[in-house]
Coordinates of all heavy atoms in Angstrom, one line a residue:
Y1 N 0.8 -1.2 0.0 CA 0.0 0.0 0.0 C 0.9 1.3 0.0 O 0.5 2.2 -0.6 CB -1.0 0.0 1.2 CG -2.0 -1.1 1.1 CD1 -1.9 -2.2 2.1 CD2 -2.9 -1.2 0.2 CE1 -2.8 -3.2 2.0 CE2 -3.9 -2.2 0.2 CZ -3.8 -3.3 1.1 OH -4.6 -4.3 1.0
V2 N 1.9 1.2 0.7 CA 2.9 2.4 0.7 C 3.4 2.6 -0.7 O 3.5 3.7 -1.2 CB 4.1 2.1 1.7 CG1 5.2 3.1 1.5 CG2 3.6 2.0 3.1
S3 N 3.7 1.5 -1.4 CA 4.3 1.6 -2.8 C 3.2 2.1 -3.7 O 3.5 3.0 -4.6 CB 4.7 0.2 -3.2 OG 5.8 -0.2 -2.5
M4 N 2.0 1.6 -3.5 CA 0.9 2.2 -4.4 C 0.6 3.6 -4.2 O 0.5 4.4 -5.1 CB -0.4 1.4 -4.2 CG -0.4 0.0 -4.8 SD -2.0 -0.8 -4.8 CE -2.4 -0.8 -3.1
V5 N 0.6 4.1 -2.9 CA 0.4 5.5 -2.6 C 1.6 6.3 -3.2 O 1.4 7.4 -3.7 CB 0.2 5.7 -1.1 CG1 0.3 7.1 -0.8 CG2 -1.1 5.1 -0.7
A6 N 2.8 5.8 -3.0 CA 3.9 6.5 -3.5 C 3.8 6.6 -5.1 O 4.2 7.7 -5.6 CB 5.2 5.8 -3.1
I7 N 3.3 5.7 -5.8 CA 3.2 5.7 -7.2 C 2.2 6.8 -7.6 O 2.4 7.6 -8.5 CB 2.8 4.3 -7.8 CG1 4.0 3.4 -7.7 CG2 2.4 4.5 -9.3 CD1 3.6 2.0 -8.1
F8 N 1.0 6.8 -6.9 CA 0.0 7.8 -7.2 C 0.6 9.3 -6.9 O 0.3 10.1 -7.7 CB -1.2 7.6 -6.4 CG -2.0 6.4 -6.9 CD1 -2.5 5.4 -5.9 CD2 -2.2 6.1 -8.2 CE1 -3.2 4.3 -6.3 CE2 -2.9 5.0 -8.6 CZ -3.4 4.1 -7.7
L9 N 1.2 9.4 -5.8 CA 1.9 10.7 -5.4 C 2.9 11.1 -6.4 O 3.0 12.3 -6.8 CB 2.4 10.7 -4.0 CG 1.4 10.6 -2.9 CD1 2.1 10.5 -1.6 CD2 0.6 11.9 -2.9
F10 N 3.7 10.1 -6.9 CA 4.7 10.5 -8.0 C 4.0 11.1 -9.2 O 4.5 12.1 -9.7 CB 5.5 9.1 -8.3 CG 6.7 9.4 -9.2 CD1 7.9 9.5 -8.6 CD2 6.6 9.4 -10.5 CE1 9.0 9.7 -9.4 CE2 7.6 9.5 -11.4 CZ 8.9 9.7 -10.8
V11 N 3.0 10.4 -9.6 CA 2.2 10.9 -10.8 C 1.6 12.3 -10.5 O 1.7 13.1 -11.4 CB 1.2 9.9 -11.2 CG1 0.3 10.5 -12.4 CG2 1.9 8.6 -11.7
I12 N 1.0 12.5 -9.3 CA 0.4 13.8 -9.0 C 1.5 14.8 -9.0 O 1.3 15.9 -9.6 CB -0.3 13.7 -7.7 CG1 -1.6 12.8 -7.9 CG2 -0.6 15.1 -7.1 CD1 -2.2 12.4 -6.5
F13 N 2.6 14.6 -8.4 CA 3.6 15.6 -8.3 C 4.2 15.9 -9.7 O 4.5 17.0 -10.0 CB 4.7 15.2 -7.3 CG 4.4 15.5 -5.9 CD1 4.2 14.4 -5.0 CD2 4.3 16.8 -5.4 CE1 3.9 14.7 -3.7 CE2 3.9 17.0 -4.1 CZ 3.8 16.0 -3.3
F14 N 4.3 14.9 -10.5 CA 4.7 15.1 -11.9 C 3.8 16.0 -12.7 O 4.2 16.9 -13.4 CB 4.9 13.8 -12.6 CG 5.2 13.9 -14.1 CD1 6.6 14.2 -14.4 CD2 4.3 13.9 -15.1 CE1 7.0 14.4 -15.8 CE2 4.6 14.1 -16.4 CZ 6.0 14.3 -16.8
E15 N 2.5 15.8 -12.5 CA 1.5 16.6 -13.2 C 1.4 18.0 -12.7 O 0.9 18.8 -13.4 CB 0.1 15.9 -13.1 CG 0.0 14.6 -13.9 CD 0.3 14.8 -15.4 OE1 -0.1 15.8 -16.0 OE2 0.9 13.8 -16.0
V16 N 1.8 18.2 -11.4 CA 1.8 19.6 -10.8 C 3.1 20.4 -11.3 O 3.0 21.6 -11.5 CB 1.8 19.5 -9.3 CG1 2.0 20.9 -8.7 CG2 0.4 19.0 -8.9
G17 N 4.2 19.7 -11.4 CA 5.5 20.4 -11.6 C 6.2 20.0 -12.9 O 6.0 20.7 -13.9
P18 N 7.0 19.0 -12.9 CA 7.8 18.7 -14.1 C 7.1 18.3 -15.3 O 7.7 18.3 -16.4 CB 8.7 17.5 -13.6 CG 8.7 17.7 -12.1 CD 7.4 18.2 -11.8
G19 N 5.8 18.0 -15.3 CA 5.1 17.7 -16.5 C 4.8 18.9 -17.3 O 5.3 19.1 -18.5
P20 N 4.1 19.9 -16.8 CA 3.7 21.1 -17.6 C 4.7 22.3 -17.5 O 4.9 23.0 -18.4 CB 2.4 21.5 -17.1 CG 2.4 21.0 -15.7 CD 3.2 19.8 -15.6
I21 N 5.3 22.4 -16.4 CA 6.0 23.7 -16.1 C 7.2 23.9 -17.1 O 7.4 25.0 -17.6 CB 6.6 23.7 -14.7 CG1 5.5 23.7 -13.7 CG2 7.5 24.9 -14.4 CD1 4.5 24.8 -13.7
P22 N 8.0 22.9 -17.5 CA 9.1 23.1 -18.5 C 8.5 23.8 -19.8 O 9.2 24.5 -20.4 CB 9.7 21.8 -18.8 CG 9.5 21.0 -17.5 CD 8.0 21.5 -17.0
W23 N 7.3 23.4 -20.2 CA 6.8 24.0 -21.4 C 6.5 25.5 -21.2 O 6.7 26.3 -22.1 CB 5.5 23.2 -21.9 CG 5.8 21.8 -22.1 CD1 5.5 20.7 -21.3 CD2 6.6 21.3 -23.2 NE1 5.9 19.6 -21.8 CE2 6.7 19.9 -22.9 CE3 7.3 21.8 -24.2 CZ2 7.4 19.1 -23.8 CZ3 8.0 21.0 -25.1 CH2 8.0 19.6 -24.9
F24 N 6.0 25.9 -20.0 CA 5.9 27.3 -19.8 C 7.2 28.0 -19.8 O 7.4 29.1 -20.4 CB 5.2 27.5 -18.4 CG 3.8 27.2 -18.3 CD1 3.3 26.0 -17.8 CD2 2.9 28.2 -18.6 CE1 1.9 25.7 -17.7 CE2 1.5 28.0 -18.5 CZ 1.1 26.7 -18.0
I25 N 8.2 27.4 -19.1 CA 9.5 28.1 -18.9 C 10.2 28.2 -20.3 O 10.7 29.3 -20.6 CB 10.3 27.4 -17.9 CG1 9.7 27.5 -16.5 CG2 11.8 27.9 -17.9 CD1 10.4 26.7 -15.4
V26 N 10.2 27.2 -21.1 CA 10.8 27.2 -22.4 C 10.2 28.3 -23.3 O 10.9 29.1 -23.9 CB 10.8 25.9 -23.1 CG1 11.2 26.0 -24.6 CG2 11.7 24.9 -22.4
A27 N 8.9 28.4 -23.2 CA 8.2 29.4 -24.0 C 8.5 30.8 -23.5 O 8.5 31.8 -24.3 CB 6.7 29.2 -24.0
E28 N 8.8 31.0 -22.2 CA 9.1 32.3 -21.7 C 10.5 32.7 -21.7 O 10.8 33.9 -21.6 CB 8.5 32.4 -20.3 CG 7.0 32.3 -20.3 CD 6.5 32.1 -18.8 OE1 7.2 31.9 -17.9 OE2 5.3 32.4 -18.7
L29 N 11.4 31.8 -21.8 CA 12.9 32.1 -21.8 C 13.4 32.5 -23.2 O 14.4 33.2 -23.3 CB 13.6 30.8 -21.4 CG 13.6 30.5 -19.9 CD1 14.5 29.2 -19.7 CD2 14.0 31.6 -19.1
F30 N 12.7 32.2 -24.2 CA 13.2 32.6 -25.5 C 12.3 33.6 -26.2 O 11.0 33.5 -26.1 CB 13.3 31.3 -26.4 CG 14.3 30.3 -25.9 CD1 14.0 29.3 -25.1 CD2 15.6 30.5 -26.3 CE1 14.9 28.5 -24.6 CE2 16.6 29.6 -25.8 CZ 16.2 28.6 -25.0
S31 N 12.9 34.4 -27.0 CA 12.1 35.5 -27.7 C 11.4 34.8 -28.9 O 11.6 33.7 -29.2 CB 13.0 36.6 -28.1 OG 13.9 36.1 -29.1
Q32 N 10.7 35.7 -29.6 CA 9.8 35.1 -30.7 C 10.6 34.3 -31.8 O 10.2 33.3 -32.3 CB 9.1 36.2 -31.3 CG 7.9 35.9 -32.3 CD 6.8 35.1 -31.5 OE1 6.6 35.3 -30.3 NE2 6.2 34.2 -32.2
G33 N 11.8 34.8 -32.1 CA 12.6 34.3 -33.2 C 13.1 32.8 -32.9 O 12.7 31.9 -33.6
P34 N 13.8 32.7 -31.8 CA 14.3 31.2 -31.5 C 13.3 30.4 -30.8 O 13.6 29.2 -30.6 CB 15.6 31.5 -30.6 CG 15.3 32.8 -30.0 CD 14.5 33.6 -31.0
R35 N 12.2 30.9 -30.3 CA 11.3 30.1 -29.5 C 10.8 28.7 -30.2 O 10.9 27.8 -29.6 CB 10.0 30.9 -29.2 CG 9.1 30.2 -28.2 CD 7.9 31.1 -27.8 NE 8.5 32.2 -27.1 CZ 7.9 33.4 -27.1 NH1 6.8 33.6 -27.8 NH2 8.4 34.4 -26.4
P36 N 10.4 28.8 -31.5 CA 10.1 27.5 -32.1 C 11.1 26.5 -32.1 O 11.0 25.3 -31.8 CB 9.6 27.9 -33.6 CG 9.3 29.3 -33.5 CD 10.2 29.8 -32.4
A37 N 12.4 26.9 -32.3 CA 13.5 25.9 -32.3 C 13.7 25.4 -30.9 O 14.0 24.2 -30.7 CB 14.7 26.6 -32.9
A38 N 13.6 26.3 -29.9 CA 13.8 25.9 -28.5 C 12.8 24.9 -28.1 O 13.1 23.9 -27.4 CB 13.8 27.2 -27.6
I39 N 11.5 25.1 -28.5 CA 10.5 24.2 -28.1 C 10.7 22.9 -28.8 O 10.4 21.8 -28.2 CB 9.1 24.9 -28.4 CG1 8.8 26.0 -27.4 CG2 8.0 23.8 -28.4 CD1 7.6 26.8 -27.7
A40 N 11.1 22.9 -30.1 CA 11.4 21.7 -30.8 C 12.5 20.9 -30.1 O 12.4 19.6 -30.0 CB 11.7 22.0 -32.2
V41 N 13.6 21.5 -29.7 CA 14.7 20.9 -29.0 C 14.1 20.3 -27.7 O 14.5 19.2 -27.3 CB 15.9 21.8 -28.8 CG1 16.9 21.2 -27.9 CG2 16.5 22.1 -30.2
A42 N 13.4 21.1 -27.0 CA 12.8 20.7 -25.6 C 12.0 19.4 -25.8 O 12.0 18.5 -25.1 CB 12.1 21.7 -25.0

């Protein structure tokens, strides 16, 4: 049960942070010109 709860929490924390946030940050770190290339590399 500890393992199952840990798996569910792992997914929840991923969906709160490392899942979507890098896409926000990549889009905001680059100006209009290099942004498409940066998003493609990411």
